[in-house]
Amino acid sequence: TLAVALAPGDCRVLSGKTRELQGPPSFPYIPGGDCCGVVVQTQEDEKYFKPGDVVAARFTVAPRDAMAEYARISATVCEKVDTSKISPEEAAALASASAAVCLSDYVKPNERILVLGASGGVGSHFVQLARERGASYICGVSSSPAHLLSLGCDDAIDYTEQNVFESTKFQEEQFDSIYDLACGGWPQLVDAVRNNTPSIVKSARMGGRFISLTPDSPTFEGHSLWSLLSLFLFLSLFRAVSSQLFTRKTLPIFSSAACLPDTREIMTRTLDLAQAGKYKAVIDNVYPFTTEGVRSAFHVVESRHGKGKVVVKIADL
């Protein structure tokens, strides 16, 4: 292993809040699931990868095993890395942010979009890809507006100083779509509309959309399959149906984009776009593979205030 990029799921697994379904399965436990490294050994029937290849991989069932000298990875969500164009640390960050590529498929040409949580690990990459996909106006919400402007956003809102849902500017010039990467945006939008505050996004009848990648709370618990289905499936279905049938005149159509495909295609697209210079890996910091370094990296991810991906460097190439 050369580098590991951390994600909120790594913190959740260590917290034990979803242990029955995501682990840790046993102790000692090795965290981390999104990584870059050099292939040492493959399965006997493997034809694409060979020892010596530098690859980037994303976790599948649960984030585990990566933060060590050697890691087990799935070949299904793995792709070769051109290290002449991107570093191992960048490759690990891109693998961990591959959800941004999936989310960019929702972007329509010439639409005005608002991105909640735009400076995070996924958001920092998504705003770049949204421009590549043809969005005409991108506004990001974060506590670091300068960081968002440097990534190409047309406007940036500091949520510690301004509630974007009460912005008179955007009430007059509505967004076509809102992308929620921060948790809790839909309840805020619903409350604003219920309080007769003019909406900052077009209604479903006018083609408005609200796409969510997260649940309402970043620190959710799920100790059974039913509890997670209620959180991710049933609630999303209720909101999607209600927004199309009952609130079409006031609220946008709700969609959930929480699932990532477990296929190599998404990793291939993620790396190809970066290696072609279409967007760049955004890294908050690279931490050393020491006790203090790993702890510091986890603290930043847990704080939810990182600017881009948090990476731990395991070894030199």
Side-chain angles (χ1 to χ4, degrees):
T1 307
L2 299 173
V4 176
L6 298 179
D10 294 298
C11 295
R12 185 169 58 253
V13 171
L14 286 180
S15 74
K17 292 182 177 179
T18 56
R19 181 172 184 178
E20 289 80 358
L21 297 169
Q22 289 189 303
S26 61
F27 291 97
Y29 167 68
I30 301 173
D34 305 321
C35 62
C36 176
V38 181
V39 176
V40 175
Q41 184 177 2
T42 66
Q43 293 181 321
E44 293 182 359
D45 59 349
E46 177 59 50
K47 297 180 180 179
Y48 183 66
F49 298 109
K50 65 182 185 299
D53 287 340
V54 178
V55 300
R58 201 198 76 224
F59 78 89
T60 50
V61 178
R64 60 180 62 136
D65 288 353
M67 198 168 294
E69 184 178 0
Y70 295 95
R72 298 175 298 171
I73 60 173
S74 170
T76 59
V77 283
C78 181
E79 185 53 279
K80 298 175 184 178
V81 176
D82 184 349
T83 54
S84 69
K85 296 180 178 178
I86 55 177
S87 69
E89 293 79 18
E90 290 172 327
L94 291 167
S96 192
S98 58
V101 176
C102 296
L103 196 61
S104 70
D105 290 338
Y106 286 83
V107 177
K108 297 179 180 180
N110 300 316
E111 73 172 351
R112 292 168 52 86
I113 69 172
L114 174 69
V115 185
L116 307 177
S119 66
V122 174
S124 291
H125 298 85
F126 173 68
V127 294
Q128 300 177 70
L129 293 167
R131 180 70 72 198
E132 177 67 22
R133 297 286 290 189
S136 62
Y137 183 87
I138 304 171
C139 177
V141 178
S142 150
S143 61
S144 307
H147 171 66
L148 297 181
L149 295 175
S150 72
L151 294 176
C153 286
D154 298 289
D155 201 352
I157 303 295
D158 185 343
Y159 68 82
T160 65
E161 298 181 359
Q162 180 182 358
N163 184 347
V164 70
F165 295 102
E166 298 176 356
S167 169
T168 55
K169 173 183 177 180
F170 298 128
Q171 289 167 0
E172 296 172 359
E173 299 179 72
Q174 292 179 310
F175 294 103
D176 296 293
S177 300
I178 295 178
Y179 293 82
D180 185 7
L181 312 179
C183 301
W186 181 259
Q188 292 184 67
L189 177 62
V190 172
D191 286 345
V193 171
R194 285 176 177 171
N195 292 329
N196 296 317
T197 302
S199 179
I200 63 170
V201 62
K202 294 177 181 178
S203 66
R205 190 171 63 173
M206 298 174 62
R209 301 181 300 157
F210 187 102
I211 297 103
S212 176
L213 198 66
T214 61
D216 290 343
S217 172
T219 56
F220 65 88
E221 290 194 38
H223 297 287
S224 67
L225 180 59
W226 177 262
S227 63
L228 289 184
L229 285 175
S230 299
L231 184 64
F232 286 97
L233 179 60
F234 301 147
L235 183 59
S236 294
L237 281 175
F238 171 77
R239 288 174 175 175
V241 172
S242 296
S243 65
Q244 296 189 52
L245 296 180
F246 308 119
T247 59
R248 288 183 58 81
K249 296 181 180 180
T250 56
L251 291 171
I253 291 177
F254 180 92
S255 300
S256 175
C259 294
L260 277 171
D262 286 338
T263 61
R264 182 176 301 152
E265 184 264 345
I266 184 60
M267 285 300 303
T268 302
R269 289 178 59 198
T270 297
L271 295 177
D272 282 352
L273 284 166
Q275 289 166 168
K278 301 295 184 181
Y279 76 127
K280 64 180 181 180
V282 183
I283 298 176
D284 179 88
N285 203 354
V286 177
Y287 292 87
F289 188 42
T290 62
T291 300
E292 190 58 37
V294 172
R295 283 177 176 170
S296 296
F298 268 98
H299 286 321
V300 173
V301 176
E302 190 176 29
S303 75
R304 303 179 66 242
H305 291 300
K307 301 178 186 66
K309 277 293 175 181
V310 175
V311 176
V312 176
K313 181 176 180 178
I314 307 298
D316 292 315
L317 179 61

